[in-house]
Amino acid sequence: MSAGALDLPAEYVRLGLRFDRLEPGFVDAFTGDPRTRAQVRDEPAPTPQQLRDRARELLRELDAAELPADRTAFLRGQLTGLECSARKLSGEPVPFVEEVSRYFQVDVTLGDEATYAAAHAELDALLPGTGSLTERYAAHRRREECPPDRLEAAVHALSSALRDRVRGQYGLPESETVRYEVVTDKPWSGFNYYEGDFRSRVAINADLPHRLSQLVHLVAHESYPGHHTEHCRKERGLVERAGRVEHTVFLVNTPECLMAEGLADLGVEAAIGDGWGPWSAEILGDLGLRFDGHLAERIAAAAAPLNRVRQDAAILLHDRGADADEVAAYLQRWSLVAGDRARQQIRFLTDPLWRAYISTYVEGFGLLARWLDARPADQPAADRFLRLLDEPLTPAAVAGELAAA
C-alpha cells in the first residue's frame, strides 16, 4: 500500500461493524481491537444508503490500494456482498438468485427430481420393511435419536476424539478451547460463536432431535476441523503473523461464509474419511449409546443428494412464488422429513438475515468437495484441506482452480 493511501482493510472492518448496528447478528465474530468496535458503536447509527455508498466507494478504491492479488480478491468479494446487503436493508428489491450470486459468488438453480428419486430408490433398498419410505426413514432416524439427557456427554466424547485427530493432522494452538452449551428456540441445529484468542462457544439446539450418527458431523462442522479450527488457524496465521486485519471480522452473507460452511461440511471426510460410521459408533458405544455405524454411513451416502432439496425450497419460496404450504409439501416429499421438521426448515429460509444462507451449505460443500477431489495425484487430502484452513480463498478462486485443472 502506497504512502498516504487509504487503509482499505481497516475501513472494510469498520464498514462490517456498522452493519451490525442495523442488523444485530450480521457480525458473526470480531476478534480485532475493542476500541474500533467501541468507536463504531459511538457513531450515529448509519442508514442503509450510507452503508451501500461506502461499500461502493471502497470497491472503487480497491485496486489503488495496491494489495496482494489474493487479498484484493478476498476484499472485492466481501465488499460486493456487503453492497448487496445494504441494498436489501434499504428495501430495494433484489431477486433471490441475484442475491445469492452477489453474496456467495455462485449461481443457483433447482435440482433434478430424477436424482432425488434415485436417492429414494437407494434408501428404499437400505431400509426394507413395511410402510412407506418416509415412514421407514423416520423410524430409522428415531432409532438413532440421542436421549436429550445424554446429548452433552456424547458431544464431549466426540469432540475430544476429533480434537486429538485434528491436532495430529493439522495442528492447533496449545491454548485453544471449545465450550459447549445446549440452547432452544433457534432456527439452526448448531452454531459456533468464535470469541477470539483461540476460544469458541458452540451452541446446540435441543429443539431438534439429534441422531447419534449425525453428532460426529455436527461436532466436526462446528469445532474440529470445522469453524473453530479454521478461526484458530486464520487468527494465528493471517491475523497475527501476516497482519491481515480484514480477517478479524467475520460477516454474514459474504463469500467467506460459503467457504467456511463448505469447509466445515467436509470436516468428517477431512478428519476421518471412510469408516467414520464405525469410528463414531465405537466412541459413543463406550457411553452405552449404540447405533449401526456401517448402516449409518451407507444411508448418509445414499441420502446426500437430498441435501439440495433445502436450496430448492428457498428458490421456490423466494424466486418461483410458491407459498409456505407448497414448499412444506415439497420438503416432505423429497427430503423425507415430517411436517414439523419441514416447518422448522422454512423458518430458517424465511428469516430476513438467513434466507439466502442455505446456499452456503449446498453450494459450498459441492464446490469444495469437487476441488478436494481434483487435487494432484500425489497430494494428500489433508494438505489440500489445510489450504482451506489457512488461505483467504474465495469461491471464485476455487472455481477458477477447478476450471484450470
Side-chain angles (χ1 to χ4, degrees), residues 52-247:
R52 177 201 64 198
D53 292 346
R54 186 56 173 161
R56 291 174 177 175
E57 288 172 5
L58 295 180
L59 280 166
R60 286 194 297 269
E61 294 285 341
L62 188 53
D63 288 331
E66 300 179 3
L67 299 169
D70 64 339
R71 204 171 180 188
T72 298
F74 175 83
L75 285 165
R76 193 182 310 282
Q78 296 296 110
L79 288 165
T80 299
L82 293 182
E83 190 270 348
C84 185
S85 285
R87 288 160 55 201
K88 289 283 296 178
L89 286 170
S90 70
E92 179 180 334
V94 179
F96 179 74
V97 172
E98 179 189 340
E99 182 183 356
V100 173
S101 177
R102 301 287 286 182
Y103 289 164
F104 307 124
Q105 300 181 340
V106 292
D107 298 319
V108 297
T109 59
L110 287 173
D112 181 3
E113 292 186 358
T115 300
Y116 304 153
H120 286 193
E122 194 169 347
L123 288 168
D124 189 61
L126 289 170
L127 295 168
T130 59
S132 68
L133 175 59
T134 298
E135 292 168 338
R136 283 177 279 136
Y137 194 37
H140 167 76
R141 293 165 73 98
R142 284 194 298 272
R143 286 192 295 270
E144 282 196 345
E145 282 183 16
C146 179
D149 62 338
R150 306 298 307 281
L151 179 60
E152 195 165 355
V155 164
H156 278 286
L158 289 167
S159 181
S160 178
L162 282 167
R163 182 175 186 255
D164 288 343
R165 292 181 75 95
V166 169
R167 275 189 171 277
Q169 290 171 310
Y170 302 109
L172 285 166
E174 284 298 323
S175 60
E176 63 81 24
T177 58
V178 177
R179 175 167 54 92
Y180 295 93
E181 64 180 19
V182 177
V183 300
T184 57
D185 195 30
K186 299 294 181 182
W188 33 255
S189 59
F191 204 100
N192 176 289
Y193 296 93
Y194 188 67
E195 298 172 340
D197 294 327
F198 316 125
R199 300 189 316 269
S200 285
R201 174 171 58 90
V202 171
I204 298 173
N205 185 5
D207 286 343
L208 300 176
H210 289 275
R211 291 183 293 130
L212 293 170
S213 68
Q214 290 302 298
L215 283 177
V216 66
H217 292 275
L218 177 64
V219 175
H221 183 106
E222 304 296 347
S223 302
Y224 306 107
H227 294 323
H228 171 72
T229 302
E230 181 191 8
H231 279 305
C232 286
R233 289 192 62 92
K234 285 192 165 113
E235 183 177 357
R236 167 70 49 92
L238 290 177
V239 177
E240 291 187 354
R241 294 175 180 163
R244 296 196 175 191
V245 68
E246 62 269 29
H247 294 281

Side-chain angles (χ1 to χ4, degrees), residues 17 38 56 88 94 100 129 150 173 206 266 279 287 343 351 364 380:
L17 293 174
R56 291 174 177 175
K88 289 283 296 178
V94 179
V100 173
R150 306 298 307 281
L266 283 167
W279 182 87
L287 302 178
R343 294 291 176 181
D351 185 286

Side-chain angles (χ1 to χ4, degrees), residues 122-123 125-126 140 276-278 292-304:
E122 194 169 347
L123 288 168
L126 289 170
H140 167 76
W276 63 261
D292 185 333
H294 294 283
L295 178 61
E297 194 164 343
R298 294 173 67 192
I299 287 177

